[in-house]
Amino acid sequence: MSIGQRITQLRTQVNMSQNQLAKAMEISRQAVSKWENGQSTPDATKMIKLAEVLNTDVEYLTTGRVAGTSNAA
């Protein structure tokens, strides 16, 4: 799953529209759309705020892994 797909999934889980997320992030709706469609990615500062707004952590947004877990067997 891509970063954009995770953003979309998390946004819908917290029942936010792209416009609502954009307002919370103080960016344009088009920027959110570009993230979700894989045309761009949030910079580090935006990624931190995005994790806060979507009630997740940066590691999950960027890698899909839940913080504190590893893939080691």
Side-chain angles (χ1 to χ4, degrees), residues 3-73:
I3 291 174
Q5 291 170 321
R6 284 189 289 278
I7 293 170
T8 303
Q9 177 187 51
L10 291 165
R11 178 179 57 75
T12 56
Q13 284 177 359
V14 297
N15 201 29
M16 292 181 93
S17 67
Q18 285 184 343
N19 197 48
Q20 289 169 322
L21 179 57
K23 285 183 181 181
M25 295 289 299
E26 300 177 344
I27 59 172
S28 69
R29 186 207 50 83
Q30 290 83 358
V32 173
S33 179
K34 285 182 178 184
W35 294 346
E36 291 185 356
N37 291 315
Q39 296 173 341
S40 67
T41 56
D43 64 26
T45 304
K46 294 278 191 250
M47 191 71 76
I48 293 166
K49 185 166 183 171
L50 185 60
E52 291 172 6
V53 171
L54 296 177
N55 196 29
T56 191
D57 56 64
V58 173
E59 182 173 2
Y60 179 75
L61 280 173
T62 57
T63 67
R65 289 189 305 254
V66 177
T69 63
S70 70
N71 292 338

